Amino acid sequence: MPQLWGGRFHSSPHDLMEQLGESVSFDARLAPWDIRASIAHARMLGQCGILPKSDADAIIQGLQAIAADIAAGNVVWEKALEDVHGNIEAMLIARIGDAGKKLHTARSRNDQIAADVRLWTRDQVDAIIRLLNGLQRVIVDAAEAHQDVVMPGYTHLQPAQPVLLAHHLLAYVEMFKRDQERFQQLRFRVNVMPLGSAALAGTPHPGNREQVARELGFDALSENSMDAVSDRDYLIEFCAASALTMMHLSRWSEELILWSSPAFGFIEIGDAFTTGSSIMPQKKNPDAAELTRGKTGAVYADLMALLTLMKGLPLTYNRDFQEDKQPAFHASDTLQLCLSVFIAMTPTIQIRREKMETALREGYMEATDLADYLAAKGVPFREAHRIVGEMVRFCIENRKTLDALTFEEMRRFSDAVGEDVHEALAMDVLLARRDQVGATSPKRVAEALRSARARIEAQAEADAALEII
Ligand code: ARG
């Protein structure tokens, strides 16, 4: 089997060295990107006269045939050939003979792996941006379909003030919008071409980096060959953005889990994303949300692994870098799976508005507004706060809701209470009053929904247009 190196060695590696050193068991998935980059490299070598045109053509055709074989599942990956690069080069030589041995002119596996992983990351970033858009869309769909549903808003997980369910849902749209922006922003730092850096110092061959970059869709060339072969910042950023998105998914998971517990009873998640218990027949468990919450920790670990991997490494390439792949793959796979699950699960969630309404009434959520009402009638706010606190205590002791107190009952606590008190505390009045930008009045929420919808559809159109190109 043709190995990538060996000329200066007397004997072959120990079995354990092979076991430790191979990466093809996990980096074979980079093959499509590796082959694209190699084709662009070979074309450039031919056009610049570094290789005879006929050799470059044979290499390109050979690589295309290998790509087809790989896609069809017709190749055996050899651990003895170390990595995806060693395997594909050996396949090429086996297929086209000596011309295949010329592909590695003017490059090194160091700039090769850097290019492959950047191309791979760019595609993951694009896929994640789309998924985040899809997720925002299904949340906005749910919010639009339930625009008039009012629910308790919580602080400390204690009922605090009434909010529109749509307002609560739009809070997650904001989070996923920021996540999407983070991926959009880091894409620009990912999309830089390291090829031409060779092992670390650049190459003496008169190549054309711009041409390769153009063919591969890179926006820029790396400007320092030593940095280019040893930079993994972009992968750390990718894992950081993935960890943050998982954190948001995990928080939402937590709420879905709470809300679907009978203690809240606010929602019911569709059968397809829940499971039963092997012993308790009545159970319907929100496993998809729990698993997403559970998987979040391992994505944080991916980020930690990469940060720690990098912290002590001298310039330039170090074999440690081979260990960057599994965390990055894991973070990307986990995030994309969980985003896909949430896109599919969200439309299956049924809203139990009666449960939300009951919780609203039982939560004394008009209390702040009642204190504000008294303050508006001239009672110092601190005093008003105490008075309403006493009313709430009376309600608790007498198993009443605040809105069930009669005018006379309220008057016993303060003669500032007027005939208009019930009107002032009506739910629609409370909500409509919160009418600043970003607040929960129906008017503001309708506006926020419209602008989120417009933004999401514009992004979807831009993504579709990219696909056509
Ligand atoms: N499999 C290696 C990696 O993932 C490819 C680069 C190997 N370079 C080297 N000089 N041994 O980093």
Side-chain angles (χ1 to χ4, degrees):
M1 229 178 310
Q3 227 184 3
L4 293 182
W5 45 267
R8 64 101 70 210
F9 290 81
H10 293 296
S11 59
S12 47
H14 196 286
D15 283 353
L16 287 170
M17 181 59 228
E18 212 175 277
Q19 209 180 309
L20 181 69
E22 71 84 20
S23 57
V24 71
S25 56
F26 51 86
D27 70 13
R29 68 185 277 177
L30 291 175
W33 293 273
D34 188 72
I35 289 175
R36 269 179 66 195
S38 287
I39 288 174
H41 179 67
R43 199 183 324 277
M44 180 278 288
L45 293 177
Q47 283 176 5
C48 294
I50 299 170
L51 289 191
K53 188 84 174 40
S54 54
D55 283 346
D57 288 347
I59 292 172
I60 293 169
Q61 280 163 20
L63 287 169
Q64 284 164 342
I66 292 168
D69 277 353
I70 295 171
N74 290 338
V75 305
V76 181
W77 299 100
E78 298 286 354
K79 289 186 182 169
L81 294 169
E82 279 187 30
D83 52 23
V84 63
H85 320 300
N87 273 268
I88 289 175
E89 195 173 305
M91 290 177 210
L92 184 67
I93 294 166
R95 188 179 280 267
I96 68 165
D98 280 351
K101 296 181 182 165
K102 298 183 182 173
L103 169 61
H104 214 52
T105 314
R107 77 170 184 191
S108 148
R109 276 189 293 164
N110 298 352
D111 59 347
Q112 191 181 353
I113 188 64
D116 293 2
V117 178
R118 281 178 183 270
L119 289 172
W120 173 84
T121 308
R122 186 181 72 191
D123 283 352
Q124 309 316 303
V125 165
D126 289 344
I128 292 167
I129 290 171
R130 273 159 217 244
L131 287 169
L132 280 164
N133 215 50
L135 179 58
Q136 291 175 74
R137 182 189 271 149
V138 294
I139 303 174
V140 166
D141 289 345
E144 271 177 5
H146 300 93
Q147 267 194 71
D148 57 338
V149 176
V150 187
M151 66 175 295
Y154 295 83
T155 63
H156 314 265
L157 202 55
Q158 302 292 322
Q161 291 179 349
V163 292
L164 287 182
L165 168 65
H167 194 54
H168 193 124
L169 293 176
L170 280 170
Y172 285 97
V173 173
E174 289 296 308
M175 293 177 229
F176 295 124
K177 174 179 85 175
R178 289 194 297 276
D179 292 331
Q180 195 176 31
E181 283 167 5
R182 257 184 285 279
F183 282 102
Q184 282 159 341
Q185 288 157 0
L186 73 87
R187 188 187 195 280
F188 146 85
R189 278 182 293 280
V190 169
N191 204 22
V192 175
M193 191 187 76
L195 288 172
S197 304
L200 76 161
T203 161
H205 295 281
N208 182 344
R209 298 187 69 205
E210 287 81 3
Q211 179 190 330
V212 180
R214 224 175 301 121
E215 176 166 344
L216 295 174
F218 281 116
D219 292 329
L221 303 180
S222 59
E223 296 198 2
N224 180 298
S225 60
M226 297 180 76
D227 176 49
V229 296
S230 73
D231 169 27
R232 297 293 182 275
D233 300 9
Y234 70 93
L235 214 48
I236 295 178
E237 269 189 82
F238 175 75
C239 285
S242 300
L244 257 170
T245 308
M246 286 300 297
M247 180 273 286
H248 288 146
L249 281 175
S250 184
R251 290 190 74 183
W252 196 23
S253 296
E254 171 69 12
E255 296 213 289
L256 295 183
I257 293 161
L258 284 172
W259 290 3
S260 58
S261 154
F264 280 78
F266 290 176
I267 59 168
E268 187 172 336
I269 300 173
D271 287 1
F273 293 95
T274 51
T275 62
S277 156
S278 57
I279 173 170
M280 297 165 284
Q282 83 283 13
K283 293 292 288 293
K284 183 172 181 186
N285 299 325
D287 287 27
E290 291 174 278
L291 287 164
T292 299
R293 186 178 59 184
K295 284 177 185 289
T296 300
V299 176
Y300 294 179
D302 296 326
L303 171 62
M304 270 320 126
L306 289 193
L307 282 167
T308 312
L309 177 72
M310 294 302 291
K311 74 180 276 291
L313 298 183
L315 289 180
T316 54
Y317 181 84
N318 300 275
R319 190 64 179 275
D320 313 46
F321 287 157
Q322 185 159 296
E323 299 299 311
D324 65 1
K325 313 242 169 356
Q326 282 161 301
F329 293 163
H330 177 264
S332 179
D333 293 346
T334 308
L335 176 58
Q336 292 188 52
L337 174 62
C338 293
L339 286 171
S340 303
V341 163
F342 269 73
I343 291 169
M345 175 169 69
T346 303
T348 75
I349 298 174
Q350 303 232 13
I351 307 291
R352 301 270 176 257
R353 63 184 301 159
E354 22 11 289
K355 292 283 195 173
M356 293 183 175
E357 279 157 15
T358 309
L360 261 180
R361 261 181 278 112
E362 288 170 352
Y364 309 107
M365 256 156 294
E366 318 89 321
T368 316
D369 287 80
L370 183 50
D372 285 338
Y373 166 90
L374 293 175
K377 302 263 172 187
V379 181
F381 184 80
R382 197 44 59 219
E383 184 72 5
H385 187 286
R386 184 190 53 77
I387 294 167
V388 178
E390 286 169 2
M391 289 183 186
V392 169
R393 193 173 65 206
F394 174 83
C395 286
I396 294 170
E397 283 163 6
N398 293 279
R399 295 173 177 273
K400 280 190 163 206
T401 58
L402 261 180
D403 70 341
L405 288 183
T406 61
F407 170 63
E408 290 72 28
E409 280 173 320
M410 287 207 202
R411 283 287 282 198
R412 268 187 248 145
F413 294 90
S414 166
D415 45 9
V417 171
E419 304 263 10
D420 57 349
V421 65
H422 285 103
E423 214 174 291
L425 296 183
M427 205 49 82
D428 50 342
V429 176
L430 299 196
L431 286 168
R433 224 184 264 144
R434 290 175 165 76
D435 200 29
Q436 301 277 342
V437 174
T440 194
S441 78
K443 193 170 119 247
R444 291 296 183 182
V445 170
E447 275 168 23
L449 274 171
R450 272 196 299 279
S451 87
R453 172 68 76 193
R455 179 177 53 73
I456 291 163
E457 296 316 325
Q459 176 70 39
E461 267 172 41
D463 285 343
L466 265 185
E467 222 153 66
I468 292 164
I469 294 165

